[in-house]
mmCIF file of all heavy atoms in Angstrom:
data_model
loop_
_atom_site.group_PDB
_atom_site.id
_atom_site.type_symbol
_atom_site.label_atom_id
_atom_site.label_comp_id
_atom_site.label_asym_id
_atom_site.label_seq_id
_atom_site.Cartn_x
_atom_site.Cartn_y
_atom_site.Cartn_z
ATOM 1 N N LYS F 20 102.156 -27.356 29.288
ATOM 2 C CA LYS F 20 100.921 -27.689 29.983
ATOM 3 C C LYS F 20 101.184 -28.208 31.398
ATOM 4 O O LYS F 20 100.360 -28.047 32.290
ATOM 5 C CB LYS F 20 100.145 -28.739 29.192
ATOM 6 C CG LYS F 20 99.641 -28.234 27.838
ATOM 7 C CD LYS F 20 98.965 -29.345 27.038
ATOM 8 C CE LYS F 20 98.508 -28.840 25.681
ATOM 9 N NZ LYS F 20 97.900 -29.921 24.857
ATOM 10 N N LEU F 21 102.369 -28.803 31.593
ATOM 11 C CA LEU F 21 102.702 -29.370 32.901
ATOM 12 C C LEU F 21 103.366 -28.350 33.824
ATOM 13 O O LEU F 21 103.091 -28.300 35.019
ATOM 14 C CB LEU F 21 103.642 -30.573 32.733
ATOM 15 C CG LEU F 21 103.085 -31.804 32.026
ATOM 16 C CD1 LEU F 21 104.208 -32.796 31.756
ATOM 17 C CD2 LEU F 21 102.003 -32.456 32.886
ATOM 18 N N ASP F 22 104.274 -27.548 33.245
ATOM 19 C CA ASP F 22 105.092 -26.645 34.068
ATOM 20 C C ASP F 22 105.643 -25.554 33.158
ATOM 21 O O ASP F 22 106.700 -25.711 32.546
ATOM 22 C CB ASP F 22 106.229 -27.429 34.732
ATOM 23 C CG ASP F 22 107.024 -26.593 35.727
ATOM 24 O OD1 ASP F 22 106.915 -25.364 35.689
ATOM 25 O OD2 ASP F 22 107.755 -27.193 36.527
ATOM 26 N N ILE F 23 104.957 -24.414 33.094
ATOM 27 C CA ILE F 23 105.338 -23.355 32.158
ATOM 28 C C ILE F 23 106.688 -22.752 32.516
ATOM 29 O O ILE F 23 107.468 -22.363 31.643
ATOM 30 C CB ILE F 23 104.237 -22.262 32.105
ATOM 31 C CG1 ILE F 23 104.529 -21.291 30.953
ATOM 32 C CG2 ILE F 23 104.109 -21.541 33.441
ATOM 33 C CD1 ILE F 23 103.388 -20.345 30.672
ATOM 34 N N ASP F 24 107.014 -22.666 33.820
ATOM 35 C CA ASP F 24 108.304 -22.102 34.222
ATOM 36 C C ASP F 24 109.463 -22.986 33.775
ATOM 37 O O ASP F 24 110.493 -22.493 33.311
ATOM 38 C CB ASP F 24 108.359 -21.910 35.744
ATOM 39 C CG ASP F 24 107.454 -20.781 36.209
ATOM 40 O OD1 ASP F 24 107.183 -19.875 35.390
ATOM 41 O OD2 ASP F 24 107.019 -20.797 37.364
ATOM 42 N N ALA F 25 109.287 -24.285 33.933
ATOM 43 C CA ALA F 25 110.338 -25.220 33.502
ATOM 44 C C ALA F 25 110.516 -25.142 31.993
ATOM 45 O O ALA F 25 111.641 -25.147 31.482
ATOM 46 C CB ALA F 25 109.992 -26.635 33.928
ATOM 47 N N ALA F 26 109.410 -25.032 31.269
ATOM 48 C CA ALA F 26 109.478 -24.982 29.808
ATOM 49 C C ALA F 26 110.218 -23.736 29.329
ATOM 50 O O ALA F 26 110.952 -23.776 28.341
ATOM 51 C CB ALA F 26 108.071 -25.010 29.217
ATOM 52 N N SER F 27 110.053 -22.626 30.037
ATOM 53 C CA SER F 27 110.682 -21.369 29.622
ATOM 54 C C SER F 27 112.193 -21.380 29.802
ATOM 55 O O SER F 27 112.886 -20.524 29.252
ATOM 56 C CB SER F 27 110.084 -20.199 30.415
ATOM 57 O OG SER F 27 110.426 -20.304 31.789
ATOM 58 N N SER F 28 112.706 -22.345 30.560
ATOM 59 C CA SER F 28 114.142 -22.396 30.819
ATOM 60 C C SER F 28 114.900 -23.290 29.852
ATOM 61 O O SER F 28 116.130 -23.384 29.913
ATOM 62 C CB SER F 28 114.397 -22.889 32.250
ATOM 63 O OG SER F 28 114.080 -24.269 32.371
ATOM 64 N N VAL F 29 114.183 -23.930 28.934
ATOM 65 C CA VAL F 29 114.819 -24.899 28.037
ATOM 66 C C VAL F 29 115.338 -24.205 26.787
ATOM 67 O O VAL F 29 114.654 -23.398 26.169
ATOM 68 C CB VAL F 29 113.819 -26.011 27.638
ATOM 69 C CG1 VAL F 29 114.486 -27.002 26.684
ATOM 70 C CG2 VAL F 29 113.330 -26.741 28.881
ATOM 71 N N GLU F 30 116.586 -24.529 26.414
ATOM 72 C CA GLU F 30 117.200 -23.963 25.227
ATOM 73 C C GLU F 30 116.588 -24.569 23.965
ATOM 74 O O GLU F 30 116.079 -25.690 23.984
ATOM 75 C CB GLU F 30 118.714 -24.212 25.241
ATOM 76 C CG GLU F 30 119.408 -23.574 26.439
ATOM 77 C CD GLU F 30 120.843 -24.048 26.582
ATOM 78 O OE1 GLU F 30 121.330 -24.751 25.669
ATOM 79 O OE2 GLU F 30 121.474 -23.729 27.597
ATOM 80 N N LEU F 31 116.667 -23.820 22.872
ATOM 81 C CA LEU F 31 116.100 -24.254 21.603
ATOM 82 C C LEU F 31 116.658 -25.610 21.182
ATOM 83 O O LEU F 31 117.863 -25.831 21.202
ATOM 84 C CB LEU F 31 116.400 -23.217 20.519
ATOM 85 C CG LEU F 31 115.840 -23.506 19.126
ATOM 86 C CD1 LEU F 31 114.329 -23.478 19.140
ATOM 87 C CD2 LEU F 31 116.394 -22.502 18.122
ATOM 88 N N ASN F 32 115.741 -26.518 20.848
ATOM 89 C CA ASN F 32 116.075 -27.860 20.331
ATOM 90 C C ASN F 32 116.740 -28.778 21.356
ATOM 91 O O ASN F 32 117.296 -29.812 20.982
ATOM 92 C CB ASN F 32 116.954 -27.763 19.079
ATOM 93 C CG ASN F 32 116.186 -27.266 17.881
ATOM 94 O OD1 ASN F 32 114.997 -27.547 17.740
ATOM 95 N ND2 ASN F 32 116.834 -26.506 17.019
ATOM 96 N N ASP F 33 116.685 -28.411 22.636
ATOM 97 C CA ASP F 33 117.273 -29.281 23.662
ATOM 98 C C ASP F 33 116.216 -30.306 24.090
ATOM 99 O O ASP F 33 115.599 -30.194 25.158
ATOM 100 C CB ASP F 33 117.746 -28.453 24.854
ATOM 101 C CG ASP F 33 118.619 -29.257 25.810
ATOM 102 O OD1 ASP F 33 118.617 -30.503 25.698
ATOM 103 O OD2 ASP F 33 119.293 -28.658 26.655
ATOM 104 N N LYS F 34 116.015 -31.316 23.245
ATOM 105 C CA LYS F 34 115.007 -32.340 23.523
ATOM 106 C C LYS F 34 115.359 -33.135 24.778
ATOM 107 O O LYS F 34 114.474 -33.555 25.523
ATOM 108 C CB LYS F 34 114.866 -33.285 22.326
ATOM 109 C CG LYS F 34 114.174 -32.671 21.118
ATOM 110 C CD LYS F 34 114.071 -33.655 19.965
ATOM 111 C CE LYS F 34 113.297 -34.905 20.333
ATOM 112 N NZ LYS F 34 113.110 -35.814 19.180
ATOM 113 N N LYS F 35 116.644 -33.357 24.998
ATOM 114 C CA LYS F 35 117.083 -34.121 26.163
ATOM 115 C C LYS F 35 116.568 -33.493 27.459
ATOM 116 O O LYS F 35 116.041 -34.172 28.333
ATOM 117 C CB LYS F 35 118.609 -34.195 26.184
ATOM 118 C CG LYS F 35 119.198 -34.770 27.454
ATOM 119 C CD LYS F 35 120.709 -34.592 27.463
ATOM 120 C CE LYS F 35 121.267 -34.832 28.848
ATOM 121 N NZ LYS F 35 122.713 -34.530 28.920
ATOM 122 N N LYS F 36 116.719 -32.179 27.566
ATOM 123 C CA LYS F 36 116.288 -31.493 28.780
ATOM 124 C C LYS F 36 114.757 -31.508 28.886
ATOM 125 O O LYS F 36 114.209 -31.695 29.978
ATOM 126 C CB LYS F 36 116.807 -30.064 28.802
ATOM 127 C CG LYS F 36 116.597 -29.348 30.125
ATOM 128 C CD LYS F 36 117.273 -27.993 30.127
ATOM 129 C CE LYS F 36 118.776 -28.125 30.124
ATOM 130 N NZ LYS F 36 119.453 -26.806 30.221
ATOM 131 N N LEU F 37 114.075 -31.296 27.777
ATOM 132 C CA LEU F 37 112.614 -31.346 27.798
ATOM 133 C C LEU F 37 112.121 -32.700 28.296
ATOM 134 O O LEU F 37 111.212 -32.774 29.136
ATOM 135 C CB LEU F 37 112.061 -31.074 26.397
ATOM 136 C CG LEU F 37 111.931 -29.620 25.940
ATOM 137 C CD1 LEU F 37 111.491 -29.569 24.495
ATOM 138 C CD2 LEU F 37 110.961 -28.852 26.827
ATOM 139 N N ILE F 38 112.713 -33.764 27.770
ATOM 140 C CA ILE F 38 112.299 -35.116 28.169
ATOM 141 C C ILE F 38 112.556 -35.343 29.651
ATOM 142 O O ILE F 38 111.710 -35.896 30.365
ATOM 143 C CB ILE F 38 113.032 -36.172 27.313
ATOM 144 C CG1 ILE F 38 112.510 -36.121 25.869
ATOM 145 C CG2 ILE F 38 112.845 -37.577 27.884
ATOM 146 C CD1 ILE F 38 113.294 -36.971 24.892
ATOM 147 N N ARG F 39 113.700 -34.898 30.126
ATOM 148 C CA ARG F 39 114.020 -35.086 31.544
ATOM 149 C C ARG F 39 113.064 -34.284 32.430
ATOM 150 O O ARG F 39 112.592 -34.783 33.458
ATOM 151 C CB ARG F 39 115.462 -34.663 31.814
ATOM 152 C CG ARG F 39 115.899 -34.788 33.286
ATOM 153 C CD ARG F 39 115.702 -36.195 33.823
ATOM 154 N NE ARG F 39 116.206 -36.312 35.199
ATOM 155 C CZ ARG F 39 115.924 -37.314 36.014
ATOM 156 N NH1 ARG F 39 115.127 -38.299 35.606
ATOM 157 N NH2 ARG F 39 116.411 -37.362 37.239
ATOM 158 N N TYR F 40 112.750 -33.068 32.034
ATOM 159 C CA TYR F 40 111.844 -32.248 32.836
ATOM 160 C C TYR F 40 110.438 -32.858 32.868
ATOM 161 O O TYR F 40 109.783 -32.873 33.921
ATOM 162 C CB TYR F 40 111.790 -30.823 32.280
ATOM 163 C CG TYR F 40 113.010 -29.979 32.583
ATOM 164 C CD1 TYR F 40 114.085 -30.506 33.304
ATOM 165 C CD2 TYR F 40 113.105 -28.665 32.142
ATOM 166 C CE1 TYR F 40 115.207 -29.727 33.578
ATOM 167 C CE2 TYR F 40 114.213 -27.883 32.417
ATOM 168 C CZ TYR F 40 115.258 -28.418 33.124
ATOM 169 O OH TYR F 40 116.373 -27.652 33.391
ATOM 170 N N ILE F 41 109.973 -33.338 31.711
ATOM 171 C CA ILE F 41 108.659 -33.992 31.672
ATOM 172 C C ILE F 41 108.672 -35.220 32.581
ATOM 173 O O ILE F 41 107.716 -35.474 33.326
ATOM 174 C CB ILE F 41 108.296 -34.387 30.225
ATOM 175 C CG1 ILE F 41 108.058 -33.127 29.379
ATOM 176 C CG2 ILE F 41 107.054 -35.287 30.200
ATOM 177 C CD1 ILE F 41 107.939 -33.401 27.883
ATOM 178 N N GLU F 42 109.744 -35.971 32.510
ATOM 179 C CA GLU F 42 109.901 -37.170 33.329
ATOM 180 C C GLU F 42 109.815 -36.836 34.820
ATOM 181 O O GLU F 42 109.122 -37.510 35.588
ATOM 182 C CB GLU F 42 111.256 -37.812 33.001
ATOM 183 C CG GLU F 42 111.576 -39.080 33.761
ATOM 184 C CD GLU F 42 112.937 -39.613 33.356
ATOM 185 O OE1 GLU F 42 113.935 -38.863 33.461
ATOM 186 O OE2 GLU F 42 113.009 -40.773 32.931
ATOM 187 N N ILE F 43 110.496 -35.780 35.233
ATOM 188 C CA ILE F 43 110.511 -35.386 36.647
ATOM 189 C C ILE F 43 109.134 -34.933 37.107
ATOM 190 O O ILE F 43 108.633 -35.349 38.154
ATOM 191 C CB ILE F 43 111.545 -34.265 36.878
ATOM 192 C CG1 ILE F 43 112.967 -34.816 36.693
ATOM 193 C CG2 ILE F 43 111.389 -33.667 38.276
ATOM 194 C CD1 ILE F 43 114.031 -33.744 36.680
ATOM 195 N N VAL F 44 108.495 -34.060 36.318
ATOM 196 C CA VAL F 44 107.192 -33.519 36.704
ATOM 197 C C VAL F 44 106.140 -34.621 36.748
ATOM 198 O O VAL F 44 105.318 -34.685 37.682
ATOM 199 C CB VAL F 44 106.774 -32.396 35.731
ATOM 200 C CG1 VAL F 44 105.352 -31.929 36.045
ATOM 201 C CG2 VAL F 44 107.747 -31.225 35.822
ATOM 202 N N LYS F 45 106.153 -35.510 35.760
ATOM 203 C CA LYS F 45 105.191 -36.618 35.758
ATOM 204 C C LYS F 45 105.438 -37.576 36.923
ATOM 205 O O LYS F 45 104.492 -38.088 37.532
ATOM 206 C CB LYS F 45 105.274 -37.372 34.426
ATOM 207 C CG LYS F 45 104.560 -36.684 33.266
ATOM 208 C CD LYS F 45 104.636 -37.525 32.008
ATOM 209 C CE LYS F 45 103.761 -36.972 30.903
ATOM 210 N NZ LYS F 45 102.312 -37.142 31.186
ATOM 211 N N SER F 46 106.693 -37.828 37.237
ATOM 212 C CA SER F 46 107.032 -38.774 38.292
ATOM 213 C C SER F 46 106.692 -38.239 39.676
ATOM 214 O O SER F 46 106.170 -38.957 40.527
ATOM 215 C CB SER F 46 108.519 -39.123 38.231
ATOM 216 O OG SER F 46 108.900 -39.949 39.307
ATOM 217 N N THR F 47 106.990 -36.950 39.905
ATOM 218 C CA THR F 47 106.799 -36.372 41.245
ATOM 219 C C THR F 47 105.412 -35.785 41.440
ATOM 220 O O THR F 47 104.941 -35.655 42.580
ATOM 221 C CB THR F 47 107.836 -35.270 41.502
ATOM 222 O OG1 THR F 47 107.671 -34.213 40.536
ATOM 223 C CG2 THR F 47 109.250 -35.834 41.409
ATOM 224 N N GLY F 48 104.756 -35.390 40.345
ATOM 225 C CA GLY F 48 103.448 -34.781 40.458
ATOM 226 C C GLY F 48 103.481 -33.326 40.895
ATOM 227 O O GLY F 48 102.441 -32.736 41.194
ATOM 228 N N VAL F 49 104.686 -32.743 40.929
ATOM 229 C CA VAL F 49 104.828 -31.324 41.305
ATOM 230 C C VAL F 49 105.685 -30.622 40.259
ATOM 231 O O VAL F 49 106.279 -31.259 39.388
ATOM 232 C CB VAL F 49 105.475 -31.169 42.704
ATOM 233 C CG1 VAL F 49 104.600 -31.811 43.774
ATOM 234 C CG2 VAL F 49 106.879 -31.768 42.725
ATOM 235 N N SER F 50 105.753 -29.298 40.344
ATOM 236 C CA SER F 50 106.558 -28.540 39.391
ATOM 237 C C SER F 50 108.037 -28.856 39.575
ATOM 238 O O SER F 50 108.464 -29.372 40.619
ATOM 239 C CB SER F 50 106.334 -27.040 39.585
ATOM 240 O OG SER F 50 106.867 -26.632 40.837
ATOM 241 N N LEU F 51 108.816 -28.535 38.560
ATOM 242 C CA LEU F 51 110.254 -28.815 38.618
ATOM 243 C C LEU F 51 110.907 -28.089 39.782
ATOM 244 O O LEU F 51 111.748 -28.651 40.490
ATOM 245 C CB LEU F 51 110.905 -28.395 37.297
ATOM 246 C CG LEU F 51 112.401 -28.676 37.170
ATOM 247 C CD1 LEU F 51 112.656 -30.174 37.144
ATOM 248 C CD2 LEU F 51 112.972 -28.017 35.911
ATOM 249 N N SER F 52 110.536 -26.819 39.996
ATOM 250 C CA SER F 52 111.139 -26.050 41.083
ATOM 251 C C SER F 52 110.828 -26.666 42.439
ATOM 252 O O SER F 52 111.660 -26.649 43.352
ATOM 253 C CB SER F 52 110.651 -24.596 41.039
ATOM 254 O OG SER F 52 109.244 -24.535 41.178
ATOM 255 N N ASN F 53 109.632 -27.222 42.597
ATOM 256 C CA ASN F 53 109.276 -27.872 43.869
ATOM 257 C C ASN F 53 109.923 -29.248 44.003
ATOM 258 O O ASN F 53 110.194 -29.713 45.115
ATOM 259 C CB ASN F 53 107.762 -28.005 43.992
ATOM 260 C CG ASN F 53 107.084 -26.679 44.254
ATOM 261 O OD1 ASN F 53 107.672 -25.778 44.836
ATOM 262 N ND2 ASN F 53 105.839 -26.540 43.806
#
């Protein structure tokens, strides 16, 4: 819901990366690529 491109790059069951990506997008207010 926050960043579909970032979500598509995450490996199966890699919760660590998902949490970090959510953290970045929520903190910056922009997509991971930006």
